[in-house]
Amino acid sequence: MKTHLLRYFVALAEELHFGRAAQRLCITQPPLSMALKALEQDLGVTLMERDAKNVRLTAAGEAFLAEARKVLAQLQHAADVVRGVAEGMQGRLDVGITGSMIYRQVPGFCRAFRAERPRVELCLHEMSTRDQLQAIASGQIDCGFLNIGTPPDGLQTLSIGEEPFVCCLPASHALAQRADIDLRELARDTFVMFARDVAPANYDNVIACLQQAGIHPHTRHAARQWLTVMALVSAEQGVALVPRCMQRVGMNGVVFVPLRGPQQAMTPAVMAWRADQPAAVLQAFIEKVRGMAGAVAGDAIFRPAEASL
């Protein structure tokens, strides 16, 4: 059944006057009469009774009017959805996020994007850097906020800024009340480390910082989340270097002390996505993050040999 026949019928049923309905549809009366006749023939029922003065719906016409309105409304809805998806105003966006990113700018990016595009379903998935790289490559998530220096082949990145590591000490530690610390003062302490297979860039940066200070750390634990690292420090199982943003957690039993001197370690933070991902909703999210982060996208595609996984 052609949709224009439904539109003609609804207009005529609402006007109950061929002249007014034809004017509303911007057509002449003969095509309207032919359309009604064709529709009644297709259905095998009489939808309207008409004479020289009156047009009225039959019982079948009343029932068909309700159904025709539903069909036309659904068609309009389908058209709106398609346009919304094509314009990036509607759809679903799956975003990976490491544990520390929730304490940085990422929640603000998401709030701002949702405010502008409320019909987009934005879903966050907490995942390690390693798992995010795999999920982006396989299409399981659309993009991710993670900690890498050099991305693997096929990914584009947008820097959202580096952040320094700070010393996380048990509240009972002898240096806990210091304004800052030279790492060499912790040479004899046991370090709680973040597992390298989860976030190699963070692990390597911390090790480089310790080695620069002449420390070959004695490690007792390898945690997979920063909250676990901090909980172990709180339990006096060692000391750690953690991203400065983790101070916002407010965990009892730990203190955070800045590093002094040249032994500085930074944690990289980037948004990453597949270079061949053209979805409008993702492109809109990238532009929102780009504008808020005040950074320039790293548009280069990197060779596998350059990847540091």
Side-chain angles (χ1 to χ4, degrees):
M1 187 178 296
K2 296 180 180 179
T3 57
H4 80 280
L5 297 180
L6 298 183
R7 291 190 295 104
Y8 286 8
F9 170 74
V10 169
L12 184 55
E14 291 175 349
E15 298 292 342
L16 294 178
H17 188 282
F18 277 84
R20 290 196 299 270
Q23 186 177 11
R24 171 175 156 182
L25 294 167
C26 299
I27 61 174
T28 59
Q29 291 189 40
L32 183 59
S33 298
M34 294 174 61
L36 177 61
K37 182 177 181 180
L39 192 56
E40 289 179 326
Q41 288 178 342
D42 285 345
L43 295 172
V45 299
T46 299
L47 298 173
M48 292 185 177
E49 294 177 346
R50 57 267 195 198
D51 53 34
K53 295 183 178 180
N54 298 306
V55 178
R56 59 184 178 275
L57 291 170
T58 64
E62 292 280 3
F64 189 67
L65 175 60
E67 298 304 318
R69 283 171 171 161
K70 291 179 186 177
V71 171
L72 292 175
Q74 184 59 43
L75 287 172
Q76 184 60 52
H77 174 71
D80 291 342
V81 168
V82 169
R83 293 191 190 100
V85 171
E87 296 168 0
M89 299 300 295
Q90 188 164 342
R92 178 184 172 101
L93 195 65
D94 288 285
V95 180
I97 181 172
T98 60
S100 64
M101 290 292 186
I102 199 69
Y103 302 106
R104 298 191 62 175
Q105 311 102 305
V106 177
F109 297 154
C110 296
R111 281 195 302 270
F113 186 73
R114 285 186 175 121
E116 290 184 358
R117 299 170 187 260
R119 290 188 295 165
V120 174
E121 184 182 8
L122 195 157
C123 302
L124 293 177
H125 306 268
E126 184 179 357
M127 309 170 75
S128 69
T129 290
R130 180 194 61 183
D131 290 343
Q132 282 194 58
L133 291 173
Q134 295 173 351
I136 294 171
S138 66
Q140 181 183 348
I141 59 176
D142 299 295
C143 62
F145 291 92
L146 58 162
N147 307 107
I148 53 174
T150 303
D153 185 44
L155 290 192
Q156 289 184 303
T157 60
L158 170 65
S159 172
I160 60 172
E162 294 183 321
E163 185 171 69
F165 282 92
V166 295
C167 293
C168 179
L169 306 176
S172 59
H173 196 280
L175 302 178
Q177 302 306 315
R178 295 278 292 276
D180 52 35
I181 292 177
D182 187 310
L183 264 182
R184 290 172 291 186
E185 298 177 89
L186 299 175
R188 296 185 178 182
D189 281 86
T190 297
F191 279 81
V192 180
M193 298 293 293
F194 203 95
R196 189 183 190 282
D197 65 317
V198 175
N202 278 341
Y203 179 92
D204 292 344
N205 286 347
V206 169
I207 289 296
C209 180
L210 293 173
Q211 289 179 345
Q212 185 181 2
I215 298 175
H216 299 283
H218 171 61
T219 61
R220 183 179 297 162
H221 305 286
R224 304 183 71 81
Q225 296 185 28
W226 287 118
L227 289 177
T228 305
V229 170
M230 293 165 57
L232 289 169
V233 172
S234 176
E236 301 184 353
Q237 296 300 302
V239 300
L241 297 184
V242 303
R244 185 176 58 189
C245 64
M246 298 307 296
Q247 297 179 73
R248 299 173 186 164
V249 174
M251 183 176 291
N252 293 328
V254 298
V255 295
F256 302 90
V257 184
L259 293 172
R260 181 177 73 248
Q263 300 91 19
Q264 293 290 327
M266 304 294 289
T267 172
V270 301
M271 177 186 180
W273 65 94
R274 269 177 34 188
D276 61 351
Q277 175 54 276
V281 66
L282 174 58
Q283 297 304 318
F285 187 52
I286 293 169
E287 291 309 309
K288 170 55 65 175
V289 174
R290 191 196 309 276
M292 293 184 68
V296 178
D299 292 326
I301 306 300
F302 294 88
R303 297 187 298 274
E306 295 176 325
S308 177
L309 300 180

